[in-house]
Each structure stands twice: as C-alpha cells, then as structure tokens.
Amino acid sequence: LQKDGAITISHTEMSLGDVRGKDFKALATPLLETEGKETFHPVHRGASNAFCIRQFCIDEKHETRQVWRNSYCFPNNIFRTNLKGTAPADRDFCVMLVPHHVPEFHLIQSFVRLVPFCTSRFDHELYVFHRAGLLKSFNVRRATTNDIPGVKLLVENLSLNESILNDLKIFIVARRDPDGTPVQAFIAEVLDQIVGVSVIRDEMDIDYIRSHYNIEDFIHFKHYEQEEHGHLYHFVLNPVFRHYTKHLLKEILRLAHKSSLYYPVYPQDVEGKFQNPCAHSLTSALHYMFPVRPRRQIVYPLEELGINAPSEQVSKDQLPYSLNHINRKLVLESKASINTRIVVVGASDVGISFLETLIFCPHLKFNNLTLISVHGLPRKDLRVSKHRRFLINSHCFNDEDYAQMSLCSWVNVVVGKMTGINRAAKYVVVSKEKKIPYDYLVLCTGQKYQVLSPTGADISKLPTNREVISKWPQRYTGEVPSNHFTLNDDQDCLKAMQWLEENVINSEGNIIVYGNTIDIYTTVETLLSLGINGSCIHLIQPPLSSNVTCLNNNEIESAVQEALSKAGVSVYYDSILAQWNEGDDPDLITCAAFTTNTKPFKLQCSAFFSFAYRTVDYETFKAINDACLVFDGRLVIDTEFCTTDVSIRAAGPLTKYSRRYYVDEWTHSNFNSKEIGFELATSMLNLFDPTPKPFSKAPEGSDRLIPVYKGCKIKGGVLPGGYNYLHISKPDIPILLDSELALCDHGMEIITGEARHGNYFRMHINKYNMVDSITCFSKEPFPVSNYICLYGQHERLLNDLYYRWNEGQITDLYSYFREPWSMAIYHDRFIDLKKELRQILMSEQVRKM
C-alpha cells in the first residue's frame, strides 16, 4: 500500500483485465516498451477490491482434500461473509502472501502466482484468486464457427492474435492445413462465455524430436502410435481460471485422442520481435509443461557412410528450438515449486551450466531464477558473424545449445554490473542503482582481460625490462582510450569489429595486439580475415610468467610463426608497455612505446588490443571485498562452493580453494567449466529437493580433500594461416610438453600429418591405455563434437588403435575417425551402452563362479 492508499500491482504475464461478474474479457496486454525508460508500474487508483488471508491452518489428515472444488469448504463462503467489520462479499479478489522459503501447499495451488519485478525487495510471494474461479461450469469442447467473435475478443490484445484466429479458421473450414496436416481447435467456456482457446496439430516431426531431444526420459515410444503425438500451437486461458490449466490440457488430450503434446520455443533473432513465421503464441501452460533436454548430435560424414547414412528426417538442418512436453501421465503429476530467490552473477560457462541444470530438473520448478550480466544473455544474436573468431572457444556451449535451452523462458535477466553486495539485507547492487534481493547468491563472474597500465618508463633514457618489471603488471585506472580494446565476450568483439570497419580497415594505420595468451593468435587471424594488411599488424608479447607457452607444442608454434611471417605480421618478444603517446592519459592512442631486455622501441598505433592482463574485475573485487568475503587473490571457497557466508556460493576462475586444503596451484581454472557448473547446481539441489535421499557418511578426513573432476578441458579456434585448432586435455597443472614427454610413465604418442601441411593430428594414450589428450591442427574444418567423445576412451574401443598403429595401418587419423565404426562412439548414449555391457559381463562372470 502506498501512502495515498493506492494499491501497486506487480507485473505478470497477463493482466487480469475486467473480470467482474460474468465479464471474462481479454486478459493479455501488449508488450510495453520500457527500454531506456523507467520500468512501468501499473497503479490501481480505485477502491480496495481485495482481501487477504493472513493465516491458514489445516489438519494434516485433511490437507490433500480438494478444498477449492467442494461447495461445503470455506473458500466458497468466504466471499459472502463479514469478517470483523469487513465485507468480503463486495470483494472480487482474495490474496495470500507466502514467504519465499515456504513450499507450495494444496490451497495455494488454486491461486495464480504473480511474477514479481526483479528489483522487488518484498519478502513474500503474492498469490491471487478471483471469485469467478469458484465457478464449476468449466467446459471444454471443440470449436465451432459461432466461437470466432468470442475468441477474437479474448485474444485481441495478445501478440500473434491474427495467427491464433487464422489457425482457428483453418480448423473450422477444412480441419487440416494445405499440406494435409490435421488441425484441431478447442474452446474453454464458463457460463456460456469463452475463457480459453487452444489449437493443436498432429506432430509430423516425431522422428526428429526423438533423435534430437531426450523425450524418452518421459515416454516409451514403442507404446505410442504416430498419430498420438500432438503439437501445441496456441493455448490461451483467462488467468482467473488458471488453476484449470491442467484440466484443460487433460481434456485436450482426451478430445483430440492424443497421448503427448509438444510445444517449441524458437529463439528470437532480433530482441522484441518474433524470429520467423514458425514462432508460436506464448502459452500460459508453459510452466505446467516439462522442458526436455536436447541430445548431443553426431556430425555425420555422409559421403563415407553412403547408404548407411541416417534418414533425412533425422539429419535435416532445422532451426533449433527449446522443446517442452506434457503427456497423460505428467498431467496428473505436479512439480514442486521452489520460490527461493537464486541470483546468479555472470553469464560465464559456469553460470550458464548452473542455470541449465536447475531448469532441466524434472521434478522441481524454480520460479525465481535471476541472472545479472553486463550484456544480458549470451548469444542473443544467433547469426553467424566473424566477430565470434576473435576469442578462443571453450566448446562448453554453442548457438544451438542456447537456442535449445531457451533461458529467457525460465530466467529473469538483469543487464548491468554487480557493484555491491549487502549481506545483512541480502541484496546485490547493480550498476550502483538497482537492488536485486536474493536468498542465495551465486558468483560466477570469472576473470576478465583488464586494461593494462603503462609502466611510465621514459624511453629516451633507454630503460630495459629489468628496471620496470616491479611496476608491471598494474591495472589502468584512468579513462580508457576509445581505440583500446579488451575483449571478453561476444559483445566486446562485435563492438571492436564495428569500430575497425568504420575507422581502420580502409586505412593504413598500425594495429597492435599485445599479450601472450592464445587469444592473440585468434585475434590476429580475425584481423587478417577482415582484410587488414598483415604489415599493419604488430604482435607484441610480454615476458612469460612460466616456461609453458599458450600453444605448448613446438611444431604448431613453428607453423603459426611461419604463417605470421608469410602474412607480413611483425612479432616482438619480451616487451613491456612503457607509454601511450607521450605518457599522458590519451583520448586516442596514436603511438605506444615498449621496453625490452635490450633497447626500447616505439610504434604508431591506430588500434590497441590488450590480452596481457587477466584477473578479477575491479568492480567485482570491490563488491566482494566491501562485503567482507575472504579474498586472497581470488574469492576463497571450500569444497562445497561455499564462501564465508552460507547464503553466497561461488565457482569458476573467480575462486580459489581455502589455504587449509594446501592446494594453491589447483583452482577451478584447471577444470571444465560446464562440469563445475553442474556440480555447483547438484550441491545446491540438496537444499531444495523434498524427496528423501539415502544417508551415507563421508569417509573420515574427506572434508580436507578437494573434489576430483574428470571432464576434459577444451580450447579451439582459427589460428593465423587459416589453421583450425583444437586441444582437448585432462584437468591438470600445465607443464612443458617436452618435460611431459620425458616422463617414464608418459604412455604413447600417436601423430599423423605435419603442422605446416595443415593435417596434424596428435593423440596421447596414457599408461592405462586411455585417451588423455587430443590436438588437431588442420586447414580443413573438422567435427569438434565428435572428437570430444574420444577423450577418456580405451584404445581398444577405438578399433584396436594401438595394434593398428603399430602395424602401420593408420596414416591419417582424420580419415580413421570418419570411418563408419566410429559413429557408435560419437553417439550420446554410448556411455550407457558401455555400462550395460559391463553389467552383463559381470553378471555372467558371477554366474560361472
């Protein structure tokens, strides 16, 4: 309640509209454009039209009773009686406020949960019930011609309302599409007034769905006929009757003679606009459906497979989408709703993996997931662009993965940077303005390239690195020049590419690429691919902090250096940035000076790309430090991802283990980020999962050991010369490859081709005959997802790789792993097959004994 007595209404998917008496008018309002403006907050200025249930208690033995469906229970009468001078008989709405940590009980399931603003610091969930929801004459039937005016009134304010009406008319006129696909439409009515409409079609792509999504987690296909699968196109229901959603779905399945319904959510190419004509109208039934995990796909060598290639229905190229599912069994089940506010800071691979795990948890529904990110959701622009090649790729997620997750369907997104944490009040400050409340805070910001401060050495005095090394590296605190770029994500890369196209590409100015990570090579190659002359590119590498280079392979490094020389790119080693321009803080860098081990040098500069200094972002550090969380170069955590605050978790390169574990050299940077995010989510699911779990006592002393992660580390990209590069390795502390080869228990190296010829393939088999690392360096593109499956496999599974290599039967590993036998290993269920075969063999051995 505001001071003037006005009632502020929280934002929801659909507005309640005018629902007095029998007037169940259209419910949804057009999307409000709020970009660049303050968030719109509707305010009710009339008399109070609601009453609130303050306390509700019921005996456990009556808890499961259908209280809202029986006339003899109190809800039907509470709108008619007077309570302490109030007059509920004059009120249309009953509201209930429930603390976030309280699970949904049976009464509340008949209410409509209103979606709060991300910045709302109100510590309760708001549930609303309208008196019209007590009406029992909710009838579902097939649509007729006479229903068109009523449906038009219902959907007039909805996006894609014309699509809904057109599909309804197709059903009424022909019962099928022009291509012959059967169409069915259903109407929900109360007291002869239309309150809902749904349109479905027969699912014609069931083979594609079965091969691309783990739909068999929910149904057994052999028990269903082809025509039992339906495709939900539209589902509109007045929010007053939202508690009838499952009943409406059940009636649709019964009347349409379907057993399953599928609803896709397509990605949006342009924010705020529907991506293509395939886009379906938003369904209010989405939160009652179950998101289906996508399946990893095999990259098929169709020419080599010939007639053994998969059918076109399975291998066809189709716009990826997120799939949601409901069937006759699931419509009778309920997912446990979790209203706990979980705020994730950072759209890193760890953060996305964490959210993905929570979203696809089949028996839990998280209503309050919030992501705080500088640029919002990653990969919003799904169009292929050269700017993607600036940075090395971790291959944790790709464009198709993001499309098939549809994070925007389940996660609130706050665009901005975390600048503060208030642990006492439990909220995060974003961009020094917004306050985002949390119950659990998850920090996954990682480390970023920072603007490096010049040492300030006067090159006229001919200083060397020895004299300035104590001042290097340091963070630059001044205003960043407009032609200085630190690339950390796709948005940074896109901005840099647009600037280059406008200011540099058609000129002859120098571009300086500074650093010694692998991103310097991918950036140089991208600059060359944009048409920039190699003679204008200067690659400058600072002194290495260890003897391990970013490529750590002499043969590949030689090929890259040869390609750089051929392109005319100048390369400088052991150089420390001394000055920009003449030592002042410039608006635009026109020249840059560097010191070396001998004499300094100076270069004209039109653009400066810095990859020399990667650490925790300063604003993130300040927010963590001001919140009095332990920061020791990185945010300190324990083996359960907990910081010193039990409600704040952290993971990824941002973190390090507490010193009590005595593993300073091991951090999450050494492990696969996607696996880290999954384990983080698993550790937190134990806090919310109501299902009982068997208790097992941990071995004594295990709390002093860090967990062992087994996923492989991956990096790939395009290096100078147009070489496609991929390196897959086990989680480990990097050591020089030559030193690794000298170890007595190193195992075996299998290498085909040569790096300078662009057909290099190296595979390391460890002493246990398992694939330990893979390095590919090729002029031709190769199937990365296939090769990732080879990691950790025994060489005997790879068609007796060791034997065939010793016999000289393998001359090209690229061709070898395109042969038909290898397709089984790339299958996403090959691991399940191995486990099943192992159980069979073990049971046979026991039987013989």
Side-chain angles (χ1 to χ4, degrees):
L1 292 177
Q2 298 177 348
K3 290 183 179 180
D4 59 358
I7 301 175
T8 301
I9 304 172
S10 181
H11 173 69
T12 60
E13 299 172 353
M14 300 180 178
S15 65
L16 289 174
D18 185 6
V19 288
R20 290 180 178 273
K22 297 181 182 179
D23 186 8
F24 311 128
K25 198 178 174 184
L27 304 171
T29 55
L31 181 66
L32 295 171
E33 296 291 341
T34 58
E35 187 176 354
K37 304 175 184 178
E38 293 185 3
T39 305
F40 174 73
H41 290 262
V43 177
H44 177 65
R45 296 291 182 182
S48 176
N49 194 28
F51 66 92
C52 179
I53 296 178
R54 291 287 186 179
Q55 289 186 347
F56 175 77
C57 300
I58 190 169
D59 194 291
E60 287 186 4
K61 61 185 177 182
H62 299 295
E63 186 179 5
T64 59
R65 198 171 178 182
Q66 297 291 326
V67 294
W68 286 89
R69 306 293 170 83
N70 298 297
S71 60
Y72 51 79
C73 292
F74 83 94
N76 197 28
N77 297 316
I78 198 169
F79 283 95
R80 304 174 185 170
T81 59
N82 292 337
L83 298 175
K84 295 184 179 180
T86 63
D90 298 332
R91 311 296 169 92
D92 288 330
F93 294 95
C94 173
V95 301
M96 188 178 294
L97 301 175
V98 182
H100 295 290
H101 64 275
V102 175
E104 286 189 352
F105 43 92
H106 288 276
L107 171 67
I108 210 71
Q109 291 175 359
S110 296
F111 283 65
V112 176
R113 174 184 173 270
L114 299 188
V115 181
F117 289 107
C118 294
T119 54
S120 171
R121 294 175 60 192
F122 192 57
D123 58 355
H124 285 71
E125 291 287 330
L126 176 62
Y127 290 84
V128 177
F129 187 87
H130 189 270
R131 66 161 63 239
L134 294 170
L135 297 173
K136 301 176 186 177
S137 59
F138 188 88
N139 181 44
V140 182
R141 57 173 174 79
R142 293 183 184 274
T144 64
T145 306
N146 297 331
D147 295 324
I148 293 179
V151 172
K152 186 176 182 179
L153 183 64
L154 177 71
V155 304
E156 63 180 351
N157 291 325
L158 287 176
S159 299
L160 289 184
N161 54 355
E162 293 183 4
S163 176
I164 298 173
L165 291 172
N166 289 338
D167 286 345
L168 177 63
K169 292 173 183 177
I170 287 174
F171 166 74
I172 291 172
V173 173
R175 295 295 197 268
R176 61 185 64 245
D177 287 326
D179 62 359
T181 304
V183 181
Q184 300 187 63
F186 301 93
I187 296 296
E189 60 181 3
V190 175
L191 298 179
D192 298 325
Q193 221 175 103
I194 295 175
V195 297
V197 60
S198 179
V199 178
I200 70 169
R201 289 175 167 85
D202 281 10
E203 181 55 72
M204 308 306 291
D205 272 347
I206 198 64
D207 290 332
Y208 180 87
I209 289 176
R210 188 177 182 184
S211 62
H212 284 71
Y213 298 88
N214 278 307
I215 193 63
E216 289 177 333
D217 290 346
F218 301 98
I219 61 175
H220 296 289
F221 267 91
K222 62 181 180 180
H223 297 158
Y224 294 88
E225 298 294 336
Q226 173 76 29
E227 58 272 12
E228 290 187 73
H229 300 280
H231 187 119
L232 183 63
Y233 269 76
H234 307 293
F235 187 102
V236 180
L237 182 62
N238 189 313
V240 168
F241 305 101
R242 191 168 176 180
H243 55 286
Y244 284 116
T245 298
K246 284 198 171 184
H247 174 70
L248 178 53
L249 287 170
K250 183 173 62 176
E251 286 296 286
I252 291 172
L253 290 169
R254 181 181 67 84
L255 294 173
H257 304 288
K258 303 297 182 187
S259 297
S260 299
L261 288 177
Y262 304 90
Y263 178 77
V265 178
Y266 286 87
Q268 293 178 350
D269 212 15
V270 180
E271 201 168 349
K273 298 181 180 179
F274 285 97
Q275 200 271 338
N276 65 0
C278 297
H280 296 36
S281 62
L282 181 64
T283 171
S284 55
L286 182 63
H287 286 273
Y288 294 92
M289 304 184 80
F290 291 72
V292 186
R293 274 189 178 275
R295 294 178 60 179
R296 179 176 45 76
Q297 296 301 300
I298 301 173
V299 180
Y300 291 102
L302 298 178
E303 294 182 3
E304 285 84 348
L305 293 178
I307 60 173
N308 294 319
S311 66
E312 187 179 348
Q313 287 181 315
V314 172
S315 61
K316 65 181 177 181
D317 225 357
Q318 186 170 313
L319 184 70
Y321 56 82
S322 168
L323 183 68
N324 301 276
H325 169 76
I326 194 74
N327 59 50
R328 290 185 177 183
K329 176 177 177 289
L330 294 177
V331 82
L332 301 175
E333 298 180 0
S334 294
K335 293 193 285 186
S337 290
I338 309 298
N339 289 326
T340 304
R341 294 169 297 184
I342 302 175
V343 175
V344 179
V345 181
S348 61
D349 289 337
V350 174
I352 298 300
S353 177
F354 171 80
L355 291 171
E356 177 195 34
T357 306
L358 297 187
I359 288 169
F360 287 108
C361 188
H363 59 287
L364 298 178
K365 181 174 67 176
F366 290 87
N367 292 325
N368 280 326
L369 296 177
T370 301
L371 173 67
I372 299 174
S373 174
V374 176
H375 298 300
L377 289 173
R379 303 292 175 92
K380 289 183 293 185
D381 184 359
L382 299 180
R383 293 166 294 185
V384 177
S385 180
K386 288 185 178 181
H387 75 267
R388 296 281 179 82
R389 295 169 56 177
F390 270 106
L391 298 175
I392 205 71
N393 192 345
S394 68
H395 289 286
C396 288
F397 298 100
N398 56 31
D399 293 345
E400 190 171 346
D401 295 329
Y402 287 116
Q404 292 175 334
M405 277 190 282
S406 186
L407 290 175
C408 58
S409 299
W410 311 103
V411 180
N412 301 313
V413 181
V414 177
V415 178
K417 179 178 285 189
M418 178 184 71
T419 54
I421 302 173
N422 190 318
R423 290 170 53 190
K426 281 195 164 186
Y427 64 79
V428 176
V429 181
V430 178
S431 302
K432 299 180 180 180
E433 296 178 357
K434 299 178 183 176
K435 296 179 180 179
I436 312 298
Y438 68 86
D439 295 312
Y440 286 96
L441 178 62
V442 180
L443 303 177
C444 304
T445 56
Q447 294 187 330
K448 299 183 187 300
Y449 289 115
Q450 306 294 323
V451 181
L452 186 66
S453 178
T455 60
D458 185 357
I459 62 170
S460 63
K461 297 180 181 179
L462 303 179
T464 62
N465 287 346
R466 182 182 300 178
E467 300 169 36
V468 300
I469 194 69
S470 60
K471 302 178 182 179
W472 185 88
Q474 291 184 5
R475 187 179 68 89
Y476 178 72
T477 57
E479 186 175 349
V480 180
S482 59
N483 60 342
H484 183 288
F485 301 98
T486 51
L487 309 181
N488 291 294
D489 53 36
D490 287 344
Q491 293 297 320
D492 292 339
C493 298
L494 179 60
K495 180 181 176 182
M497 190 182 71
Q498 291 172 344
W499 191 93
L500 290 171
E501 289 175 344
E502 295 173 1
N503 299 278
V504 174
I505 289 181
N506 296 324
S507 65
E508 296 297 325
N510 286 341
I511 298 178
I512 296 175
V513 181
Y514 185 53
N516 51 26
T517 65
I518 195 170
D519 292 317
I520 62 174
Y521 295 122
T522 53
T523 297
V524 168
E525 170 59 22
T526 304
L527 295 175
L528 292 170
S529 68
L530 290 174
I532 297 174
N533 196 318
S535 61
C536 299
I537 301 174
H538 298 265
L539 179 59
I540 303 175
Q541 299 186 27
L544 291 171
S545 56
S546 70
N547 61 349
V548 181
T549 61
C550 58
L551 293 173
N552 198 18
N553 187 306
N554 292 332
E555 188 171 351
I556 291 178
E557 287 177 357
S558 298
V560 170
Q561 295 303 325
E562 184 179 333
L564 289 171
S565 177
K566 187 175 181 180
V569 177
S570 302
V571 183
Y572 308 80
Y573 299 98
D574 295 332
S575 304
I576 296 178
L577 178 63
Q579 290 181 354
W580 288 332
N581 297 357
E582 299 302 325
D584 300 325
D585 290 345
D587 295 329
L588 196 71
I589 301 174
T590 57
C591 63
F594 299 85
T595 59
T596 66
N597 293 327
T598 54
K599 61 179 181 179
F601 64 94
K602 189 175 183 179
L603 294 173
Q604 180 271 336
C605 177
S606 296
F608 193 100
F609 289 83
S610 179
F611 300 97
Y613 186 41
R614 175 183 266 169
T615 186
V616 177
D617 183 73
Y618 176 74
E619 285 81 4
T620 302
F621 156 73
K622 193 173 186 308
I624 292 171
N625 191 61
D626 292 347
C628 298
L629 297 173
V630 178
F631 193 93
D632 183 14
R634 303 186 189 190
L635 180 58
V636 175
I637 60 170
D638 62 13
T639 55
E640 294 296 324
F641 305 96
C642 294
T643 64
T644 49
D645 188 326
V646 294
S647 60
I648 300 179
R649 312 291 172 100
L654 167 70
T655 65
K656 64 172 291 186
Y657 288 113
S658 172
R659 295 200 178 194
R660 71 174 183 267
Y661 298 110
Y662 298 98
V663 286
D664 287 349
E665 67 277 11
W666 283 99
T667 67
H668 286 174
S669 301
N670 301 107
F671 303 110
N672 182 288
S673 294
K674 190 172 183 178
E675 184 182 15
I676 292 291
F678 172 79
E679 294 296 338
L680 170 62
T682 302
S683 68
M684 291 192 67
L685 281 174
N686 295 328
L687 302 171
F688 311 115
D689 196 343
T691 57
K693 291 169 274 305
F695 176 77
S696 57
K697 187 177 180 180
E700 186 178 353
S702 60
D703 59 331
R704 294 191 294 271
L705 300 174
I706 66 171
V708 177
Y709 302 111
K710 299 180 180 179
C712 56
K713 289 279 291 181
I714 309 165
K715 54 184 178 181
V718 183
L719 303 186
Y723 294 107
N724 295 281
Y725 172 77
L726 174 69
H727 182 63
I728 305 170
S729 62
K730 67 178 180 180
D732 205 352
I733 300 170
I735 62 173
L736 194 64
L737 181 59
D738 293 339
S739 302
E740 186 180 346
L741 294 173
L743 297 175
C744 59
D745 59 349
H746 174 65
M748 180 180 64
E749 298 274 329
I750 298 179
I751 300 175
T752 61
E754 296 182 24
R756 60 190 180 89
H757 291 157
N759 60 352
Y760 179 85
F761 196 123
R762 172 185 171 270
M763 181 175 283
H764 172 226
I765 311 295
N766 65 18
K767 61 181 179 180
Y768 303 109
N769 292 337
M770 311 289 283
V771 177
D772 212 29
S773 71
I774 298 171
T775 305
C776 299
F777 192 76
S778 172
K779 281 283 190 180
E780 300 295 328
F782 45 78
V784 175
S785 59
N786 286 359
Y787 294 164
I788 294 174
C789 300
L790 301 175
Y791 173 81
Q793 301 291 354
H794 196 281
E795 59 88 14
R796 292 290 298 275
L797 284 174
L798 306 182
N799 205 11
D800 280 333
L801 177 65
Y802 183 77
Y803 169 79
R804 294 178 184 276
W805 171 255
N806 286 334
E807 292 296 315
Q809 298 179 14
I810 301 175
T811 58
D812 181 14
L813 285 173
Y814 290 104
S815 300
Y816 184 71
F817 289 117
R818 282 198 303 267
E819 295 177 2
W821 62 265
S822 63
M823 297 301 111
I825 297 172
Y826 308 146
H827 198 279
D828 64 315
R829 295 178 183 171
F830 181 70
I831 297 175
D832 297 332
L833 175 63
K834 285 202 315 181
K835 292 179 180 178
E836 186 177 344
L837 292 176
R838 180 175 177 81
Q839 290 177 354
I840 294 172
L841 292 173
M842 293 294 290
S843 61
E844 287 293 328
Q845 291 179 4
V846 172
R847 198 173 300 163
K848 290 179 181 178
M849 292 174 62

